[in-house]
């Protein structure tokens, strides 16, 4: 199992940060970075159209590369010369969202070109991006996950309680619906299938506090950040408009989760188990 660095171990963490900064100083200007970003997926098209420029990942990644002194260029995968241009860089930094960027396809291209890149490899990316495959992996690893079914046919069975309907692929809540009434299920299935066919995940709705565990691979192991809680005040759930910052001022907060210690320990342990099970890196 991957060694874990606790966020509370300040001495060890400080040493890791010093090593990273020393590496950045030694490496400044010695390699070129292809920052891959563009509207190839519906998710990225929505990001570009709806998000304030300061919230776009390309803005944050460009700023970070500038700070460490790494020469870079933004490469748009929608442009005809993308692959030829990509082969001319020392390392790639994927900044895409959703299909083609996070699902192993870009990672496979980079492996074929022998271009090193940041983030997980083909298999981990492909399974993590596919909600149905990831659910199956979680069950095989004994990681708790809400009950679910796949909708492949003309009608899904109503389980008698609210459900979340999700496209099989993609993120940012695009095509996702919270369904409380069986009369609304068919419309939600159609919306999810249109977002990314084939296959729709119908998952039991579990009310509660959404919690995110950030994991970062360092030389000495994986740093598990304190779990963060997302609270939404003006929507039924953390939907696409809320996530993308469209007219959500004062309605969304993200703070350290104030859950009981056993719950925080459990959710972090499950996140780390899934990291290992998927074979994530970066």
């Amino acid at each position: 199992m991957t060694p874990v660095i606790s966020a509370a171990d300040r001495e060890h963490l400080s040493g890791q940060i010093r090593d990273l900064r020393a590496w950045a100083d030694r490496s400044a200007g010695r390699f070129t970075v292809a920052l891959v970003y563009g509207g190839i997926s519906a998710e990225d098209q929505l990001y570009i159209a709806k998000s304030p420029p300061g919230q776009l990942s390309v803005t944050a990644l460009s700023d970070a590369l500038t700070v460490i002194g790494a020469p870079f260029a933004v490469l748009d995968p929608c442009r005809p010369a993308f692959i030829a241009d990509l082969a001319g860089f020392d390392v790639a930094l994927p900044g895409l969202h959703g299909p083609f960027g996070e699902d192993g396809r870009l990672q496979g291209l980079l492996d074929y070109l022998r271009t090193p890149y940041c983030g997980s490899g083909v298999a981990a990316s492909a399974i993590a991006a596919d909600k149905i495959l990831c659910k199956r992996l979680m069950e095989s690893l004994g990681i708790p996950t809400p009950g679910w079914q796949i909708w492949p046919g003309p009608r899904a069975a109503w389980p008698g309680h609210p459900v979340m309907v999700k496209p099989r692929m993609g993120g940012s809540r695009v095509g996702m619906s919270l369904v409380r009434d069986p009369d609304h299920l068919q419309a939600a299935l159609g919306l999810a299938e249109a977002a990314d066919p084939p296959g729709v995940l119908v998952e039991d709705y579990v009310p509660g506090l959404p919690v995110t565990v950030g994991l970062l691979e360092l030389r000495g192991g994986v740093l598990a950040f304190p779990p963060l809680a997302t609270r939404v005040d003006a929507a039924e759930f953390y939907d696409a408009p809320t996530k993308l910052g469209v007219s959500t001022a004062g309605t969304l907060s993200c703070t350290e989760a104030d859950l009981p210690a056993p719950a925080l320990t459990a959710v972090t342990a499950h996140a780390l188990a899934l990291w290992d099970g998927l074979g994530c890196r970066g």
Side-chain angles (χ1 to χ4, degrees):
M1 188 164 181
T2 303
V4 179
I5 302 172
S6 170
D9 188 350
R10 297 305 177 89
E11 183 177 353
H12 188 184
L13 191 54
S14 295
Q16 293 283 315
I17 293 171
R18 283 196 299 272
D19 288 347
L20 277 174
R21 286 176 173 162
W23 171 86
D25 290 341
R26 293 194 305 270
S27 304
R30 294 176 58 186
F31 57 89
T32 56
V33 180
L35 174 49
V36 182
Y37 186 82
I40 192 168
S41 70
E43 190 176 341
D44 264 321
Q45 291 168 18
L46 188 63
Y47 261 95
I48 293 169
K50 298 294 186 181
S51 291
Q55 292 185 21
L56 292 174
S57 57
V58 69
T59 303
L61 294 172
S62 296
D63 290 347
L65 290 169
T66 300
V67 167
I68 67 172
F72 73 96
V74 178
L75 298 190
D76 186 345
C78 298
R79 297 181 65 86
F82 169 68
I83 294 177
D85 291 343
L86 190 60
F89 287 81
D90 298 314
V91 64
L93 178 56
L96 299 172
H97 304 89
F100 297 98
E102 293 182 294
D103 62 357
R105 282 180 274 195
L106 174 63
Q107 291 75 16
L109 171 64
L110 292 166
D111 284 342
Y112 187 82
L113 294 174
R114 305 295 194 273
T115 301
Y117 54 92
C118 300
S120 294
V122 174
S125 299
I127 296 172
D130 187 318
K131 300 180 184 71
I132 293 172
L133 291 181
C134 196
K135 294 280 278 190
R136 288 173 174 155
L137 178 67
M138 292 175 75
E139 290 181 340
S140 73
L141 295 171
I143 299 172
T145 185
W148 58 288
Q149 60 177 304
I150 304 170
W151 178 70
R155 296 197 67 83
W158 177 252
H161 51 73
V163 293
M164 296 300 304
V165 177
K166 307 177 181 181
R168 179 171 190 153
M169 303 285 286
S172 298
R173 284 72 177 172
V174 176
M176 185 186 297
S177 304
L178 169 56
V179 182
R180 300 184 184 274
D181 187 323
D183 292 338
H184 300 154
L185 178 59
Q186 202 64 28
L189 292 170
L191 177 65
E193 186 181 43
D196 196 87
V200 174
L201 175 67
V202 180
E203 188 176 54
D204 292 350
Y205 172 62
V206 179
L209 184 66
V211 175
T212 300
V213 180
L215 301 175
L216 175 65
E217 185 179 12
L218 299 173
R219 290 181 63 186
V222 174
L223 170 63
F225 288 94
L228 296 178
T230 304
R231 291 177 173 84
V232 180
D233 300 324
E236 272 202 303
F237 68 99
Y238 190 24
D239 57 14
T242 304
K243 180 176 176 64
L244 296 176
V246 184
S247 303
T248 57
T251 65
L252 175 68
S253 67
C254 189
T255 58
E256 190 168 336
D258 54 351
L259 297 173
L264 295 175
T265 299
V267 74
T268 300
H270 293 321
L272 288 163
L274 187 55
W275 168 285
D276 277 328
L278 285 165
C280 293
R281 66 172 190 249

